[in-house]
Amino acid sequence: MKRYQTSETLPVGLLLALTGGLLDAYSYLNRGQVFATAETGNLVLLGINFSMGNWSQVLHYLLPVLAYTVGVLVTELLRRRLSDEGGWLHWRQYLLLVECVVIAVVAFLPQTLNPLANLLISFASAVQVDSFRKFNGCGCATTMCTGNLRSGTEHLFFWLSHREKDALDKVVLYYGLILSFVTGAVLSGLLSQCFHSRTVLVAILPPLIAFGLMFQERIQRK
């Protein structure tokens, strides 16, 4: 049986997918109907508004895309610096803390600053998805579902056709991530009815749990 770093195991993936669903539903419900964690929808809406000459809306959907791009660049820079230095925390733990701080800031931004809130959510999403790319050896995403749906269904076909156990394990992985993402969206929808813009604070809990799980590996190495 293969061993993976704690940061690349399914429990961490499920926690982060839960966060992804929470954040995406939150930005849509509470911050001006923007899908801030996955930029495909924003790019489509950008294109539609561009064709109609709605320039303010073009900017509205362009800014989260740019923030996501900046998030990836910052993550790559920090990953190289932090992984070289080593230290008490794993480099991914530092980036989880960055994500949690950004989410906390979003919770206290007024509705008049929705564009800024969406920028920060897009940035945090990029940090997460660029830091955690693989789980159980498979390339996965925790802030979107299209790629996971394709990969999970492909391995479902392999299992149905040849009864490959490895394929079934991957089906569980990919569909588990999708289910966790949807669960996050459901939670966000339910909680938003009561807590509105503060709902995003709940999205801090899964990354913090993942942060704690990653200490287990470091203790075992001592």
Side-chain angles (χ1 to χ4, degrees):
M1 185 175 180
K2 294 181 179 178
R3 278 186 61 86
Y4 301 99
Q5 290 185 4
T6 304
S7 59
E8 297 182 354
T9 57
L10 182 56
V12 170
L14 294 175
L15 287 166
L16 296 181
L18 184 68
T19 299
L22 280 161
L23 290 176
D24 216 17
Y26 169 82
S27 66
Y28 185 84
L29 292 171
N30 299 286
R31 297 296 184 176
Q33 297 186 324
V34 172
F35 292 111
T37 69
E39 303 311 314
T40 303
N42 291 330
L43 287 168
V44 170
L45 292 169
L46 183 155
I48 291 172
N49 282 283
F50 185 89
S51 70
M52 299 171 65
N54 296 330
W55 307 118
S56 63
Q57 288 299 101
V58 169
L59 183 63
H60 179 68
Y61 291 109
L62 175 61
L63 290 176
V65 176
L66 294 178
Y68 191 95
T69 303
V70 171
V72 173
L73 293 173
V74 170
T75 301
E76 288 300 314
L77 175 63
L78 291 177
R79 179 173 71 85
R80 282 163 174 73
R81 293 197 173 182
L82 295 173
S83 59
D84 289 341
E85 292 177 4
W88 185 54
L89 299 178
H90 187 281
W91 65 268
R92 288 189 175 102
Q93 288 177 294
Y94 286 109
L95 290 166
L96 282 177
L97 291 178
V98 170
E99 180 179 8
C100 290
V101 169
V102 171
I103 292 172
V105 170
V106 169
F108 296 97
L109 291 178
Q111 293 293 313
T112 53
L113 293 179
N114 280 351
L116 177 58
N118 288 322
L119 289 179
L120 292 173
I121 293 172
S122 293
F123 178 87
S125 173
V127 169
Q128 176 175 306
V129 78
D130 196 47
S131 302
F132 298 85
R133 305 180 189 181
K134 285 187 177 183
F135 300 101
N136 288 4
C138 299
C140 306
T142 57
T143 61
M144 61 198 84
C145 292
T146 305
N148 293 339
L149 181 60
R150 187 209 65 80
S151 297
T153 306
E154 177 186 29
H155 287 98
L156 177 62
F157 173 81
F158 293 153
W159 182 75
L160 292 173
S161 301
H162 308 293
R163 290 297 189 272
E164 299 176 9
K165 183 181 183 304
D166 186 54
L168 183 58
D169 291 339
K170 292 177 181 177
V171 170
V172 172
L173 170 69
Y174 285 111
Y175 280 96
L177 292 173
I178 293 170
L179 179 60
S180 187
F181 185 93
V182 174
T183 300
V186 171
L187 284 173
S188 189
L190 293 173
L191 294 173
S192 290
Q193 298 176 42
C194 298
F195 301 106
H196 308 291
S197 60
R198 298 290 194 274
T199 299
V200 75
L201 289 172
V202 179
I204 295 176
L205 294 177
L208 284 180
I209 296 172
F211 177 87
L213 288 176
M214 291 172 66
F215 278 116
Q216 179 180 357
E217 181 177 44
R218 301 183 79 79
I219 292 172
Q220 289 174 348
R221 287 181 178 178
K222 292 182 178 179

